[in-house]
Amino acid sequence: CAIACACTHGYLEDTVVSPRRHVPAIRIWSFSSLGRQHRPLCWTTGMVLHLLSDLEYAHFLILDWATTVIEIREQVGLPIGVTKRIAQRRGLSHPWNKAQGRYRAVSTDLVYRARTQSGIAQYARAVKYESALNELSQLQGLELERVYWDEHASVQTDWKIVTEQLVPDDFVENIHWVHPFGPNVTFDSSARGDLDRAFRLLYPALHKSSERLCDITDWCDGRLKLVSGTALTFTRHFIATKRLFVDMHARIIPTRSLQVLSGPQPDYLL
């Protein structure tokens, strides 16, 4: 069991105390999850994350898009000794691994740090589908998490449950559409030249025109003699790297006009 191995080697406490050495307490191959599993490359940290559901992936995208977020950790294991004591004091059942006959670690789905007006703040998020909140074992595990972050974390941490009802679908779909073309994407010298030329054509055209996005990018492909679809891919990169500001809360559909803005929108954090 991945959690048991992490406990044995002392990684779980390190994930809470030392984010630079973060090892997720649960990997995507540990057990089946609800929905699809994801291993995206995080723009913020440059690490590949282990996300166990579509909902976790959606929340991750929101965090990775935010300019104020400086660190994202997933499946953060809490020290079993501490959570056992919390369970005993509060009269809660602690997760138990029947197959191995020992306690199972409690983990928090996403922990992130962000810049605020008063400095760097830490946030812990239990990302759960509403249907799971009807399960007693899930509720008791969440209470263990809440008490740990409220009373035992080494850094003051804002803990919260996030369900699918809080996730803005259009915003997430737009980030998902541009995420593969983010700042971690590299281009060879010839492609960089095409990229810059395309930006000089597309930027004023997208600002001034109400034509469909696909028509404008097709026009750019023709002007620059690019392979069909190249300018649309470049546009996704321009949005992802925030060279081009658009309304990320309005669904981006290439067969419609793009809602271009003069500046960035404020971060939207859950």
Side-chain angles (χ1 to χ4, degrees), residues 37 107 201 261:
Q37 299 166 331
S107 62
L201 278 180
L261 305 177

Side-chain angles (χ1 to χ4, degrees), residues 19-177:
R20 290 183 181 83
R21 292 185 288 133
H22 174 61
V23 176
I26 308 173
R27 309 295 181 93
I28 61 172
W29 50 77
S30 299
F31 51 81
S32 62
S33 64
L34 184 59
R36 293 175 298 174
Q37 299 166 331
H38 301 267
R39 294 190 67 207
L41 177 62
C42 179
W43 296 349
T44 305
T45 65
M47 303 293 290
V48 173
L49 271 60
H50 290 247
L51 304 173
L52 305 182
S53 70
D54 290 340
L55 185 57
E56 284 188 17
Y57 176 64
H59 194 187
F60 154 75
L61 289 175
I62 293 171
L63 297 177
D64 213 23
W65 178 259
T67 56
T68 55
V69 172
I70 61 173
E71 180 183 78
I72 304 171
R73 290 177 283 154
E74 85 284 25
Q75 320 310 336
V76 176
L78 311 184
I80 289 181
V82 177
T83 54
K84 281 172 60 179
R85 289 195 297 272
I86 295 171
Q88 291 166 359
R89 289 201 313 269
R90 302 272 175 149
L92 302 171
S93 295
H94 194 287
W96 176 261
N97 188 320
K98 292 182 180 179
Q100 298 188 354
R102 58 183 174 183
Y103 287 103
R104 180 165 56 84
V106 176
S107 62
T108 296
D109 300 314
L110 289 166
V111 176
Y112 68 95
R113 292 194 302 148
R115 291 186 297 270
T116 70
Q117 291 183 344
S118 56
I120 304 298
Q122 180 163 280
Y123 305 83
R125 295 294 181 255
V127 185
K128 306 299 178 188
Y129 289 98
E130 281 199 342
S131 58
L133 301 182
N134 296 320
E135 303 170 12
L136 179 60
S137 59
Q138 187 74 257
L139 292 174
Q140 296 202 43
L142 290 170
E143 179 63 5
L144 291 175
E145 280 190 58
R146 184 193 68 78
V147 175
Y148 173 82
W149 290 110
D150 282 355
E151 300 179 6
H152 298 274
S154 58
V155 177
Q156 183 175 355
T157 304
D158 177 90
W159 180 87
K160 180 180 176 181
I161 299 172
V162 172
T163 72
E164 67 272 26
Q165 300 301 322
L166 298 177
V167 175
D169 292 337
D170 288 349
F171 187 45
V172 168
E173 283 299 323
N174 288 341
I175 302 170
H176 172 68
W177 189 64

Side-chain angles (χ1 to χ4, degrees), residues 193-208:
D194 290 338
L195 192 73
D196 292 337
R197 285 190 291 272
F199 185 77
R200 288 194 293 269
L201 278 180
L202 287 170
Y203 187 82
L206 290 170
H207 272 80
K208 297 175 183 177

